[in-house]
Amino acid sequence: MEMTRLERARAYERTKKEEMNPQWKPVYHAAAPVGWVNDPNGFSIYQDEVHLFFQYYPYDMSWGPMHWGHCKSKDFIDWEYLPAVMAPGEAYDNFGCFSGSAIESEGEHVLIYTGVIEEELEDGSKKMAQVQCGASGDGLNYRKWDCNPIITSDSLPEGSSTVDFRDPKVWKKDGVYYLVVGSRNRDGSGQIALYQSKDLRAWEYCTILDCCNNEYGKMWECPDFFPLGEKYLLVTSPQDMREEGLKFHKGNGVICVMGDYDEKEKKFTRKKVTAVDYGLDFYAPQSLETKDGRRVMIAWMQSWDANIAPKELGWVGMMTVPRELELVDGELVQRPVRELNDYRKDLVRYEKIELSGRQSLEGISGRVMDLSLEIEEDGVESFCLHIGHSEEYTTTITWNPKEATLEFDRNGSGMVRDVVCSRKMWVDTADGRLHLRILLDRFSAEIFANGGRQVMSNAFYTPLEADGILFEVNGKAKVTVEKYDIVK
Ligand code: FRU
């Protein structure tokens, strides 16, 4: 009997996985098992375990017909890779199984995703459509539903796009299922549609929760909608953002639309819009709620604007560390999940030492660590941390207290196809010092400034031999340094 496309993908990833060098993979971040990975999908808890699916094309180092890959974890940090769960090929998803979400329902794990249909017309041109579909399974094997597609763009307000209608995010509240999905209205700008259902199969269109009016990018991809503190957050990933100082960078971005939600009227009132992460590599985040009530978010730690992973690695695409979200004084705060603390070993600590010029510190080197710095502002002209440092390579994180900015710059990281290689963000120092927590995991640096009030996620694919850390201070800096290894 001929293999199905899913069986073929599973067989391929089995053989290829054995050829992969585990030394060339992140240690505590979820990453592509083989081939290409983009958005996190179906980030959910099923039978007390965290499941993470992802947009997946196992056969190449670039995007292709989208499958869903799969891994799971008990603690957000130690990921077990499982066989892929979906391949494209049905009439309703022949071009790809695009992004979506998951929910536990009556003992089953239900996936709600976008099926992309490509149809060849008589004149040879192609017509595309996007529809929403479902599948259910047991945490290992999933079956697409016979009733697919479950939502088509016919249900949207008149004039909405039939081509851009994707990335459903599902949740349950008071016995009713809801989902938000990205779409475009008549003038081409992004809008987020809300649907409701009693059984996850029959869906009723409710309303447009918010619409970008061509202000924050164009198409709004991968929406997520959830309560946080007293507010509701609509987190979405706009394509084609325009730059606005340091507030928003151009290209693909992620925004947090904070507002009030009247559940009864299903009316969302926007109060403010901010960026979620100021780094080079952060897109398509998705969140879940843990049993103990934490809102945890994960994102693709790469960007469509820069695909710089070296092909020799055999994989492209990793996720951020999952982050706990909180609203503090009306601001979104992100911190690495507390479970990461269980993997911290061998503390090296320097208390209030004085640094000036270029120097390294005994015991502070490597490419996998949880590093905290508390830098007193007094006397600092500029403070620069070189990571992945060697004679040949360096990547820098520079604090300029006068400008109140922090810059990540990977110009020297050794990548030859890297065009957009630096980003800056505002950092404040209300109490006269800057606090940075920097997570390094071989090919990434996630920077949480001031307790997670400003965050920057970045990939850098410098050869692993470059594992130096160098401090470079203009002026004088009083610094407390804490470094833990992360050991699994
Ligand atoms: C976002 C995205 C989604 C889409 C998927 C396709 O990165 O463009 O909108 O579902 O990737 O792989």
Side-chain angles (χ1 to χ4, degrees), residues 410-422:
R410 66 178 183 212
N411 267 293
S413 73
M415 298 298 99
V416 288
R417 294 269 166 225
D418 198 11
V419 178
V420 188
C421 355
S422 72

Side-chain angles (χ1 to χ4, degrees), residues 153-409:
S153 58
D154 294 346
S155 55
L156 288 167
E158 225 188 304
S160 300
S161 168
T162 55
V163 183
D164 290 311
F165 179 41
R166 59 179 174 272
D167 313 332
K169 174 75 195 309
V170 65
W171 73 95
K172 191 179 187 182
K173 179 90 200 280
D174 302 331
V176 182
Y177 296 100
Y178 296 93
L179 69 76
V180 280
V181 57
S183 157
R184 274 181 201 243
N185 70 7
R186 194 184 286 284
D187 76 0
S189 69
Q191 61 182 10
I192 302 300
L194 175 74
Y195 286 79
Q196 69 178 27
S197 167
K198 288 203 176 71
D199 61 1
L200 289 165
R201 280 146 176 97
W203 289 90
E204 182 194 342
Y205 167 81
C206 302
T207 188
I208 295 297
L209 275 185
D210 200 359
C211 176
C212 92
N213 292 320
N214 285 314
E215 194 181 354
Y216 300 100
K218 297 270 184 203
M219 173 64 185
W220 280 3
E221 300 189 307
C222 303
D224 195 357
F225 188 58
F226 51 87
L228 195 69
E230 293 87 67
K231 294 286 169 197
Y232 256 81
L233 268 50
L234 172 66
V235 174
T236 185
S237 302
Q239 296 177 315
D240 309 310
M241 291 276 288
R242 286 177 62 172
E243 186 165 297
E244 218 184 292
L246 295 185
K247 206 170 162 210
F248 299 109
H249 59 248
K250 56 181 172 285
N252 286 285
V254 180
I255 57 169
C256 168
V257 185
M258 201 179 282
D260 297 321
Y261 184 51
D262 181 335
E263 272 180 53
K264 235 170 145 194
E265 300 297 320
K266 298 187 175 61
K267 192 171 169 3
F268 179 63
T269 312
R270 190 198 284 189
K271 290 281 166 182
K272 70 170 173 186
V273 183
T274 54
V276 174
D277 187 294
Y278 297 90
L280 289 156
D281 300 283
F282 184 90
Y283 200 64
Q286 211 173 68
S287 74
L288 58 71
E289 194 183 354
T290 59
K291 289 250 156 72
D292 58 7
R294 287 178 286 158
R295 177 60 58 174
V296 176
M297 179 179 78
I298 193 167
W300 181 37
M301 195 157 37
Q302 193 172 304
S303 162
W304 290 114
D305 303 322
N307 174 19
I308 57 160
K311 300 257 187 290
E312 308 82 80
L313 288 177
W315 61 273
V316 177
M318 52 192 170
M319 301 300 164
T320 62
V321 81
R323 294 142 186 213
E324 294 178 16
L325 305 185
E326 225 189 304
L327 218 57
V328 179
D329 302 329
E331 303 288 323
L332 176 64
V333 166
Q334 306 170 55
R335 293 191 194 96
V337 277
R338 59 196 67 170
E339 284 83 349
L340 182 62
N341 298 353
D342 299 339
Y343 293 85
R344 304 207 290 194
K345 300 269 147 65
D346 299 330
L347 171 66
V348 178
R349 187 164 200 276
Y350 291 86
E351 170 123 18
K352 294 197 173 164
I353 50 165
E354 223 172 72
L355 297 178
S356 65
R358 281 162 75 91
Q359 72 186 91
S360 51
L361 291 176
E362 174 85 37
I364 311 283
S365 66
R367 291 279 288 267
V368 183
M369 69 178 72
D370 184 343
L371 177 71
S372 289
L373 304 178
E374 196 173 88
I375 316 160
E376 290 184 19
E377 187 168 0
D378 204 20
V380 180
E381 292 288 316
S382 71
F383 182 99
C384 174
L385 185 77
H386 294 258
I387 56 173
H389 184 76
S390 67
E391 262 177 32
E392 208 174 340
Y393 305 109
T394 202
T395 289
T396 56
I397 299 164
T398 307
W399 177 38
N400 182 330
K402 272 204 198 82
E403 251 187 37
T405 59
L406 190 80
E407 181 171 24
F408 178 88
D409 185 336

